[in-house]
mmCIF file of all heavy atoms in Angstrom:
data_model
loop_
_atom_site.group_PDB
_atom_site.id
_atom_site.type_symbol
_atom_site.label_atom_id
_atom_site.label_comp_id
_atom_site.label_asym_id
_atom_site.label_seq_id
_atom_site.Cartn_x
_atom_site.Cartn_y
_atom_site.Cartn_z
ATOM 1 N N THR A 169 68.066 13.882 71.764
ATOM 2 C CA THR A 169 69.303 13.822 70.989
ATOM 3 C C THR A 169 69.027 12.910 69.800
ATOM 4 O O THR A 169 68.006 12.229 69.777
ATOM 5 C CB THR A 169 70.466 13.227 71.817
ATOM 6 O OG1 THR A 169 70.012 11.981 72.379
ATOM 7 C CG2 THR A 169 70.885 14.152 72.939
ATOM 8 N N PHE A 193 59.156 9.054 75.937
ATOM 9 C CA PHE A 193 59.187 7.667 75.483
ATOM 10 C C PHE A 193 60.652 7.232 75.353
ATOM 11 O O PHE A 193 61.498 8.029 74.940
ATOM 12 C CB PHE A 193 58.473 7.519 74.132
ATOM 13 C CG PHE A 193 56.972 7.620 74.229
ATOM 14 C CD1 PHE A 193 56.359 8.836 74.502
ATOM 15 C CD2 PHE A 193 56.170 6.500 74.073
ATOM 16 C CE1 PHE A 193 54.976 8.934 74.608
ATOM 17 C CE2 PHE A 193 54.787 6.587 74.168
ATOM 18 C CZ PHE A 193 54.192 7.803 74.444
ATOM 19 N N ARG A 433 70.360 21.334 86.987
ATOM 20 C CA ARG A 433 68.943 21.644 86.878
ATOM 21 C C ARG A 433 68.212 20.303 86.911
ATOM 22 O O ARG A 433 68.321 19.502 85.977
ATOM 23 C CB ARG A 433 68.674 22.352 85.548
ATOM 24 C CG ARG A 433 67.195 22.631 85.318
ATOM 25 C CD ARG A 433 66.935 23.162 83.939
ATOM 26 N NE ARG A 433 67.236 22.159 82.905
ATOM 27 C CZ ARG A 433 66.827 22.266 81.651
ATOM 28 N NH1 ARG A 433 66.162 23.322 81.246
ATOM 29 N NH2 ARG A 433 67.115 21.324 80.759
ATOM 30 N N ALA A 441 56.870 4.548 79.678
ATOM 31 C CA ALA A 441 57.309 3.187 80.012
ATOM 32 C C ALA A 441 58.609 3.361 80.791
ATOM 33 O O ALA A 441 59.297 4.352 80.613
ATOM 34 C CB ALA A 441 57.555 2.383 78.752
ATOM 35 N N ASN A 506 110.818 47.704 71.685
ATOM 36 C CA ASN A 506 112.134 47.119 71.919
ATOM 37 C C ASN A 506 113.127 47.406 70.804
ATOM 38 O O ASN A 506 114.318 47.274 71.000
ATOM 39 C CB ASN A 506 112.014 45.591 72.102
ATOM 40 C CG ASN A 506 111.321 45.277 73.432
ATOM 41 O OD1 ASN A 506 111.242 46.161 74.300
ATOM 42 N ND2 ASN A 506 110.816 44.080 73.573
#
Side-chain angles (χ1 to χ4, degrees):
T169 52
F193 287 71
R433 176 187 66 165
N506 290 343

